[in-house]
């Protein structure tokens, strides 16, 4: 997983999966999934990841570095705590899937 930021201040988490595990999970040889958090969601994201007072990008980077963590785990956490995010999935056979915030 990797963490990136956009000029708007939004933060992105991207996970690229390939190989046998990807074929089992997605039915394709490679798949990229992205969560995009706009500026208004960053405080809630930081709190969800155990950082009070901000630091969402650092908390997200720490989350992404944990080998036991997956993007879908963060999706579940954010859904349970009401942290809004946009989702995009891109696969070599499934194409592009986009779910906007809300």
């Amino acid at each position: 997983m990797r963490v990136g930021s956009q000029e708007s201040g939004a933060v992105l988490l991207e996970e690229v999966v390939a190989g046998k595990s990807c074929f089992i999970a997605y039915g394709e040889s490679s798949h990229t999934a992205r969560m995009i958090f706009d500026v208004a969601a960053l405080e809630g994201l930081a709190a969800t990841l155990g950082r009070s007072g901000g630091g969402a990008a650092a908390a997200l980077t720490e989350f992404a570095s944990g080998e036991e963590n997956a993007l879908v785990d963060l999706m579940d956490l954010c859904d349970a705590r009401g942290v809004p995010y946009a989702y995009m999935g891109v696969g070599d056979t499934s194409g592009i899937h986009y779910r906007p915030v809300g």
Side-chain angles (χ1 to χ4, degrees):
M1 283 190 282
R2 74 172 189 88
V3 177
S5 58
Q6 300 177 335
E7 286 184 32
S8 66
V11 176
L12 164 94
L13 177 64
E14 180 178 72
E15 179 180 62
V16 179
V17 182
K20 186 176 181 177
S21 62
C22 182
F23 190 78
I24 291 168
Y26 298 103
E28 51 197 11
S29 62
S30 68
H31 190 85
T32 300
R34 296 180 182 112
M35 293 176 76
I36 304 160
F37 300 91
D38 64 21
V39 174
L42 296 181
E43 187 175 327
L45 174 61
T48 296
L49 295 174
R51 297 266 179 121
S52 59
L60 198 54
T61 299
E62 186 177 314
F63 176 88
S65 68
E67 288 187 22
E68 70 282 357
N69 295 329
L71 186 132
V72 69
D73 297 327
L74 185 58
M75 290 174 71
D76 289 345
L77 281 171
C78 289
D79 290 344
R81 298 198 179 162
V83 177
Y85 61 91
Y87 170 82
M88 183 183 348
V90 180
D92 59 357
T93 58
S94 62
I96 299 172
H97 302 275
Y98 181 70
R99 186 187 81 194
V101 175

mmCIF file of all heavy atoms in Angstrom, residues 51-92:
data_model
loop_
_atom_site.group_PDB
_atom_site.id
_atom_site.type_symbol
_atom_site.label_atom_id
_atom_site.label_comp_id
_atom_site.label_asym_id
_atom_site.label_seq_id
_atom_site.Cartn_x
_atom_site.Cartn_y
_atom_site.Cartn_z
ATOM 1 N N ARG A 51 -5.298 8.590 16.295
ATOM 2 C CA ARG A 51 -4.528 9.832 16.416
ATOM 3 C C ARG A 51 -5.472 10.979 16.710
ATOM 4 O O ARG A 51 -6.163 11.453 15.833
ATOM 5 C CB ARG A 51 -3.793 10.148 15.115
ATOM 6 C CG ARG A 51 -2.772 9.152 14.709
ATOM 7 C CD ARG A 51 -1.412 9.572 15.213
ATOM 8 N NE ARG A 51 -0.423 8.602 14.843
ATOM 9 C CZ ARG A 51 0.633 8.859 14.105
ATOM 10 N NH1 ARG A 51 0.830 10.064 13.640
ATOM 11 N NH2 ARG A 51 1.495 7.911 13.838
ATOM 12 N N SER A 52 -5.504 11.413 17.948
ATOM 13 C CA SER A 52 -6.336 12.572 18.264
ATOM 14 C C SER A 52 -5.582 13.841 17.885
ATOM 15 O O SER A 52 -4.363 13.889 17.929
ATOM 16 C CB SER A 52 -6.684 12.589 19.755
ATOM 17 O OG SER A 52 -5.512 12.623 20.533
ATOM 18 N N GLY A 53 -6.318 14.851 17.459
ATOM 19 C CA GLY A 53 -5.695 16.127 17.116
ATOM 20 C C GLY A 53 -5.064 16.162 15.734
ATOM 21 O O GLY A 53 -4.209 16.988 15.464
ATOM 22 N N GLY A 54 -5.452 15.287 14.858
ATOM 23 C CA GLY A 54 -4.947 15.340 13.486
ATOM 24 C C GLY A 54 -3.884 14.315 13.203
ATOM 25 O O GLY A 54 -3.741 13.328 13.906
ATOM 26 N N GLY A 55 -3.109 14.572 12.166
ATOM 27 C CA GLY A 55 -2.061 13.644 11.762
ATOM 28 C C GLY A 55 -2.573 12.487 10.925
ATOM 29 O O GLY A 55 -2.050 11.383 11.009
ATOM 30 N N ALA A 56 -3.599 12.745 10.105
ATOM 31 C CA ALA A 56 -4.210 11.677 9.320
ATOM 32 C C ALA A 56 -3.221 11.039 8.352
ATOM 33 O O ALA A 56 -3.186 9.815 8.226
ATOM 34 C CB ALA A 56 -5.428 12.206 8.566
ATOM 35 N N ALA A 57 -2.420 11.838 7.658
ATOM 36 C CA ALA A 57 -1.487 11.277 6.681
ATOM 37 C C ALA A 57 -0.462 10.379 7.363
ATOM 38 O O ALA A 57 -0.162 9.287 6.879
ATOM 39 C CB ALA A 57 -0.803 12.385 5.893
ATOM 40 N N ALA A 58 0.053 10.812 8.506
ATOM 41 C CA ALA A 58 1.027 9.989 9.241
ATOM 42 C C ALA A 58 0.370 8.712 9.757
ATOM 43 O O ALA A 58 0.961 7.629 9.686
ATOM 44 C CB ALA A 58 1.623 10.789 10.392
ATOM 45 N N ALA A 59 -0.848 8.822 10.269
ATOM 46 C CA ALA A 59 -1.561 7.644 10.765
ATOM 47 C C ALA A 59 -1.853 6.678 9.630
ATOM 48 O O ALA A 59 -1.739 5.456 9.788
ATOM 49 C CB ALA A 59 -2.854 8.068 11.453
ATOM 50 N N LEU A 60 -2.203 7.212 8.463
ATOM 51 C CA LEU A 60 -2.496 6.376 7.301
ATOM 52 C C LEU A 60 -1.219 5.692 6.802
ATOM 53 O O LEU A 60 -1.235 4.508 6.431
ATOM 54 C CB LEU A 60 -3.118 7.232 6.203
ATOM 55 C CG LEU A 60 -3.875 6.504 5.110
ATOM 56 C CD1 LEU A 60 -4.951 5.586 5.673
ATOM 57 C CD2 LEU A 60 -4.501 7.512 4.162
ATOM 58 N N THR A 61 -0.105 6.402 6.822
ATOM 59 C CA THR A 61 1.175 5.816 6.427
ATOM 60 C C THR A 61 1.551 4.676 7.368
ATOM 61 O O THR A 61 2.003 3.615 6.928
ATOM 62 C CB THR A 61 2.283 6.887 6.405
ATOM 63 O OG1 THR A 61 1.925 7.884 5.447
ATOM 64 C CG2 THR A 61 3.628 6.297 6.052
ATOM 65 N N GLU A 62 1.327 4.873 8.654
ATOM 66 C CA GLU A 62 1.597 3.819 9.638
ATOM 67 C C GLU A 62 0.694 2.609 9.380
ATOM 68 O O GLU A 62 1.146 1.465 9.404
ATOM 69 C CB GLU A 62 1.377 4.360 11.045
ATOM 70 C CG GLU A 62 1.767 3.403 12.141
ATOM 71 C CD GLU A 62 1.605 4.028 13.517
ATOM 72 O OE1 GLU A 62 2.040 5.188 13.705
ATOM 73 O OE2 GLU A 62 1.028 3.354 14.395
ATOM 74 N N PHE A 63 -0.575 2.857 9.131
ATOM 75 C CA PHE A 63 -1.514 1.776 8.819
ATOM 76 C C PHE A 63 -1.047 1.008 7.586
ATOM 77 O O PHE A 63 -1.031 -0.224 7.566
ATOM 78 C CB PHE A 63 -2.914 2.343 8.589
ATOM 79 C CG PHE A 63 -3.925 1.308 8.165
ATOM 80 C CD1 PHE A 63 -4.636 0.586 9.107
ATOM 81 C CD2 PHE A 63 -4.153 1.064 6.825
ATOM 82 C CE1 PHE A 63 -5.551 -0.385 8.721
ATOM 83 C CE2 PHE A 63 -5.071 0.097 6.420
ATOM 84 C CZ PHE A 63 -5.769 -0.628 7.377
ATOM 85 N N ALA A 64 -0.657 1.728 6.553
ATOM 86 C CA ALA A 64 -0.251 1.114 5.288
ATOM 87 C C ALA A 64 1.020 0.285 5.429
ATOM 88 O O ALA A 64 1.223 -0.664 4.668
ATOM 89 C CB ALA A 64 -0.058 2.189 4.219
ATOM 90 N N SER A 65 1.858 0.606 6.390
ATOM 91 C CA SER A 65 3.116 -0.125 6.555
ATOM 92 C C SER A 65 2.923 -1.440 7.300
ATOM 93 O O SER A 65 3.812 -2.289 7.272
ATOM 94 C CB SER A 65 4.149 0.747 7.278
ATOM 95 O OG SER A 65 3.749 0.957 8.622
ATOM 96 N N GLY A 66 1.781 -1.632 7.934
ATOM 97 C CA GLY A 66 1.526 -2.886 8.635
ATOM 98 C C GLY A 66 1.157 -3.989 7.663
ATOM 99 O O GLY A 66 0.156 -3.885 6.962
ATOM 100 N N GLU A 67 1.974 -5.036 7.606
ATOM 101 C CA GLU A 67 1.742 -6.107 6.639
ATOM 102 C C GLU A 67 0.413 -6.821 6.866
ATOM 103 O O GLU A 67 -0.141 -7.400 5.940
ATOM 104 C CB GLU A 67 2.889 -7.108 6.679
ATOM 105 C CG GLU A 67 4.164 -6.568 6.066
ATOM 106 C CD GLU A 67 5.242 -7.623 5.964
ATOM 107 O OE1 GLU A 67 4.920 -8.823 5.964
ATOM 108 O OE2 GLU A 67 6.414 -7.236 5.887
ATOM 109 N N GLU A 68 -0.084 -6.775 8.079
ATOM 110 C CA GLU A 68 -1.348 -7.451 8.380
ATOM 111 C C GLU A 68 -2.566 -6.619 7.977
ATOM 112 O O GLU A 68 -3.685 -7.113 7.988
ATOM 113 C CB GLU A 68 -1.432 -7.796 9.874
ATOM 114 C CG GLU A 68 -1.604 -6.595 10.788
ATOM 115 C CD GLU A 68 -0.339 -5.773 11.069
ATOM 116 O OE1 GLU A 68 0.751 -6.144 10.596
ATOM 117 O OE2 GLU A 68 -0.457 -4.750 11.760
ATOM 118 N N ASN A 69 -2.362 -5.366 7.612
ATOM 119 C CA ASN A 69 -3.465 -4.484 7.245
ATOM 120 C C ASN A 69 -3.753 -4.544 5.750
ATOM 121 O O ASN A 69 -2.850 -4.722 4.939
ATOM 122 C CB ASN A 69 -3.155 -3.039 7.633
ATOM 123 C CG ASN A 69 -3.038 -2.869 9.131
ATOM 124 O OD1 ASN A 69 -3.681 -3.575 9.897
ATOM 125 N ND2 ASN A 69 -2.218 -1.938 9.562
ATOM 126 N N ALA A 70 -5.018 -4.360 5.415
ATOM 127 C CA ALA A 70 -5.436 -4.301 4.018
ATOM 128 C C ALA A 70 -6.399 -3.135 3.850
ATOM 129 O O ALA A 70 -7.047 -2.703 4.822
ATOM 130 C CB ALA A 70 -6.111 -5.611 3.604
ATOM 131 N N LEU A 71 -6.494 -2.646 2.644
ATOM 132 C CA LEU A 71 -7.382 -1.520 2.363
ATOM 133 C C LEU A 71 -8.818 -1.838 2.772
ATOM 134 O O LEU A 71 -9.505 -0.993 3.340
ATOM 135 C CB LEU A 71 -7.295 -1.174 0.878
ATOM 136 C CG LEU A 71 -8.045 0.072 0.446
ATOM 137 C CD1 LEU A 71 -7.169 0.953 -0.408
ATOM 138 C CD2 LEU A 71 -9.296 -0.312 -0.311
ATOM 139 N N VAL A 72 -9.252 -3.050 2.536
ATOM 140 C CA VAL A 72 -10.623 -3.431 2.897
ATOM 141 C C VAL A 72 -10.850 -3.330 4.407
ATOM 142 O O VAL A 72 -11.957 -3.023 4.854
ATOM 143 C CB VAL A 72 -10.976 -4.833 2.336
ATOM 144 C CG1 VAL A 72 -10.201 -5.934 3.033
ATOM 145 C CG2 VAL A 72 -12.465 -5.079 2.394
ATOM 146 N N ASP A 73 -9.810 -3.548 5.209
ATOM 147 C CA ASP A 73 -9.932 -3.395 6.661
ATOM 148 C C ASP A 73 -10.230 -1.941 7.020
ATOM 149 O O ASP A 73 -11.061 -1.661 7.878
ATOM 150 C CB ASP A 73 -8.644 -3.828 7.370
ATOM 151 C CG ASP A 73 -8.315 -5.289 7.171
ATOM 152 O OD1 ASP A 73 -9.262 -6.107 7.067
ATOM 153 O OD2 ASP A 73 -7.117 -5.614 7.109
ATOM 154 N N LEU A 74 -9.546 -1.028 6.347
ATOM 155 C CA LEU A 74 -9.780 0.390 6.608
ATOM 156 C C LEU A 74 -11.165 0.805 6.117
ATOM 157 O O LEU A 74 -11.838 1.617 6.753
ATOM 158 C CB LEU A 74 -8.698 1.253 5.965
ATOM 159 C CG LEU A 74 -8.788 2.741 6.269
ATOM 160 C CD1 LEU A 74 -8.738 3.006 7.779
ATOM 161 C CD2 LEU A 74 -7.687 3.501 5.566
ATOM 162 N N MET A 75 -11.604 0.247 5.003
ATOM 163 C CA MET A 75 -12.958 0.534 4.527
ATOM 164 C C MET A 75 -13.983 0.135 5.595
ATOM 165 O O MET A 75 -14.905 0.902 5.897
ATOM 166 C CB MET A 75 -13.235 -0.212 3.215
ATOM 167 C CG MET A 75 -12.460 0.329 2.039
ATOM 168 S SD MET A 75 -12.653 -0.661 0.539
ATOM 169 C CE MET A 75 -14.344 -0.281 0.109
ATOM 170 N N ASP A 76 -13.817 -1.041 6.176
ATOM 171 C CA ASP A 76 -14.728 -1.502 7.224
ATOM 172 C C ASP A 76 -14.711 -0.565 8.425
ATOM 173 O O ASP A 76 -15.767 -0.208 8.961
ATOM 174 C CB ASP A 76 -14.367 -2.918 7.670
ATOM 175 C CG ASP A 76 -14.685 -3.979 6.637
ATOM 176 O OD1 ASP A 76 -15.444 -3.685 5.681
ATOM 177 O OD2 ASP A 76 -14.171 -5.105 6.780
ATOM 178 N N LEU A 77 -13.526 -0.142 8.850
ATOM 179 C CA LEU A 77 -13.418 0.787 9.983
ATOM 180 C C LEU A 77 -14.104 2.116 9.690
ATOM 181 O O LEU A 77 -14.845 2.642 10.518
ATOM 182 C CB LEU A 77 -11.945 1.049 10.320
ATOM 183 C CG LEU A 77 -11.197 0.012 11.111
ATOM 184 C CD1 LEU A 77 -9.703 0.353 11.157
ATOM 185 C CD2 LEU A 77 -11.747 -0.091 12.522
ATOM 186 N N CYS A 78 -13.824 2.660 8.520
ATOM 187 C CA CYS A 78 -14.407 3.954 8.151
ATOM 188 C C CYS A 78 -15.922 3.854 8.018
ATOM 189 O O CYS A 78 -16.648 4.759 8.463
ATOM 190 C CB CYS A 78 -13.782 4.470 6.858
ATOM 191 S SG CYS A 78 -12.069 5.000 7.058
ATOM 192 N N ASP A 79 -16.417 2.771 7.434
ATOM 193 C CA ASP A 79 -17.863 2.582 7.314
ATOM 194 C C ASP A 79 -18.510 2.500 8.698
ATOM 195 O O ASP A 79 -19.555 3.104 8.937
ATOM 196 C CB ASP A 79 -18.183 1.319 6.512
ATOM 197 C CG ASP A 79 -17.835 1.449 5.038
ATOM 198 O OD1 ASP A 79 -17.634 2.583 4.555
ATOM 199 O OD2 ASP A 79 -17.757 0.395 4.370
ATOM 200 N N ALA A 80 -17.884 1.779 9.617
ATOM 201 C CA ALA A 80 -18.437 1.615 10.960
ATOM 202 C C ALA A 80 -18.443 2.926 11.740
ATOM 203 O O ALA A 80 -19.333 3.156 12.561
ATOM 204 C CB ALA A 80 -17.635 0.560 11.727
ATOM 205 N N ARG A 81 -17.474 3.794 11.464
ATOM 206 C CA ARG A 81 -17.355 5.055 12.225
ATOM 207 C C ARG A 81 -17.839 6.273 11.456
ATOM 208 O O ARG A 81 -17.684 7.398 11.917
ATOM 209 C CB ARG A 81 -15.917 5.237 12.664
ATOM 210 C CG ARG A 81 -15.518 4.087 13.595
ATOM 211 C CD ARG A 81 -14.336 4.369 14.383
ATOM 212 N NE ARG A 81 -14.063 3.230 15.242
ATOM 213 C CZ ARG A 81 -12.914 3.017 15.816
ATOM 214 N NH1 ARG A 81 -11.928 3.863 15.629
ATOM 215 N NH2 ARG A 81 -12.739 1.965 16.574
ATOM 216 N N GLY A 82 -18.386 6.060 10.284
ATOM 217 C CA GLY A 82 -18.955 7.167 9.529
ATOM 218 C C GLY A 82 -17.942 8.119 8.920
ATOM 219 O O GLY A 82 -18.247 9.290 8.706
ATOM 220 N N VAL A 83 -16.749 7.636 8.632
ATOM 221 C CA VAL A 83 -15.722 8.469 7.996
ATOM 222 C C VAL A 83 -15.924 8.373 6.478
ATOM 223 O O VAL A 83 -15.787 7.290 5.908
ATOM 224 C CB VAL A 83 -14.299 8.015 8.379
ATOM 225 C CG1 VAL A 83 -13.249 8.847 7.650
ATOM 226 C CG2 VAL A 83 -14.100 8.086 9.880
ATOM 227 N N PRO A 84 -16.249 9.481 5.828
ATOM 228 C CA PRO A 84 -16.533 9.428 4.384
ATOM 229 C C PRO A 84 -15.263 9.311 3.534
ATOM 230 O O PRO A 84 -14.219 9.856 3.871
ATOM 231 C CB PRO A 84 -17.232 10.762 4.126
ATOM 232 C CG PRO A 84 -16.706 11.677 5.179
ATOM 233 C CD PRO A 84 -16.432 10.817 6.384
ATOM 234 N N TYR A 85 -15.396 8.589 2.436
ATOM 235 C CA TYR A 85 -14.292 8.429 1.487
ATOM 236 C C TYR A 85 -14.868 8.063 0.124
ATOM 237 O O TYR A 85 -15.972 7.543 0.020
ATOM 238 C CB TYR A 85 -13.308 7.347 1.949
ATOM 239 C CG TYR A 85 -13.937 5.980 2.078
ATOM 240 C CD1 TYR A 85 -13.943 5.076 1.015
ATOM 241 C CD2 TYR A 85 -14.549 5.593 3.264
ATOM 242 C CE1 TYR A 85 -14.543 3.832 1.131
ATOM 243 C CE2 TYR A 85 -15.152 4.345 3.391
ATOM 244 C CZ TYR A 85 -15.137 3.470 2.323
ATOM 245 O OH TYR A 85 -15.738 2.238 2.445
ATOM 246 N N ALA A 86 -14.108 8.349 -0.898
ATOM 247 C CA ALA A 86 -14.438 7.877 -2.238
ATOM 248 C C ALA A 86 -13.628 6.608 -2.465
ATOM 249 O O ALA A 86 -12.538 6.444 -1.910
ATOM 250 C CB ALA A 86 -14.080 8.923 -3.288
ATOM 251 N N TYR A 87 -14.155 5.710 -3.295
ATOM 252 C CA TYR A 87 -13.480 4.453 -3.584
ATOM 253 C C TYR A 87 -13.360 4.283 -5.097
ATOM 254 O O TYR A 87 -14.291 4.587 -5.830
ATOM 255 C CB TYR A 87 -14.266 3.261 -3.012
ATOM 256 C CG TYR A 87 -13.746 1.932 -3.490
ATOM 257 C CD1 TYR A 87 -12.648 1.356 -2.887
ATOM 258 C CD2 TYR A 87 -14.327 1.284 -4.576
ATOM 259 C CE1 TYR A 87 -12.142 0.141 -3.345
ATOM 260 C CE2 TYR A 87 -13.829 0.075 -5.042
ATOM 261 C CZ TYR A 87 -12.740 -0.493 -4.420
ATOM 262 O OH TYR A 87 -12.233 -1.675 -4.875
ATOM 263 N N MET A 88 -12.206 3.790 -5.532
ATOM 264 C CA MET A 88 -12.025 3.454 -6.933
ATOM 265 C C MET A 88 -11.293 2.120 -7.014
ATOM 266 O O MET A 88 -10.298 1.909 -6.319
ATOM 267 C CB MET A 88 -11.216 4.506 -7.680
ATOM 268 C CG MET A 88 -11.112 4.153 -9.151
ATOM 269 S SD MET A 88 -10.140 5.201 -10.267
ATOM 270 C CE MET A 88 -9.777 6.658 -9.434
ATOM 271 N N GLY A 89 -11.797 1.223 -7.848
ATOM 272 C CA GLY A 89 -11.137 -0.042 -8.124
ATOM 273 C C GLY A 89 -10.856 -0.132 -9.610
ATOM 274 O O GLY A 89 -11.694 0.230 -10.433
ATOM 275 N N VAL A 90 -9.668 -0.600 -9.958
ATOM 276 C CA VAL A 90 -9.271 -0.740 -11.355
ATOM 277 C C VAL A 90 -8.683 -2.127 -11.527
ATOM 278 O O VAL A 90 -7.724 -2.496 -10.844
ATOM 279 C CB VAL A 90 -8.215 0.317 -11.754
ATOM 280 C CG1 VAL A 90 -7.822 0.157 -13.209
ATOM 281 C CG2 VAL A 90 -8.707 1.722 -11.469
ATOM 282 N N GLY A 91 -9.275 -2.902 -12.447
ATOM 283 C CA GLY A 91 -8.787 -4.246 -12.703
ATOM 284 C C GLY A 91 -8.508 -4.464 -14.171
ATOM 285 O O GLY A 91 -9.085 -3.799 -15.031
ATOM 286 N N ASP A 92 -7.645 -5.432 -14.449
ATOM 287 C CA ASP A 92 -7.284 -5.672 -15.839
ATOM 288 C C ASP A 92 -8.417 -6.305 -16.643
ATOM 289 O O ASP A 92 -8.437 -6.210 -17.865
ATOM 290 C CB ASP A 92 -5.985 -6.481 -15.961
ATOM 291 C CG ASP A 92 -6.036 -7.840 -15.292
ATOM 292 O OD1 ASP A 92 -7.053 -8.185 -14.661
ATOM 293 O OD2 ASP A 92 -5.038 -8.570 -15.402
#
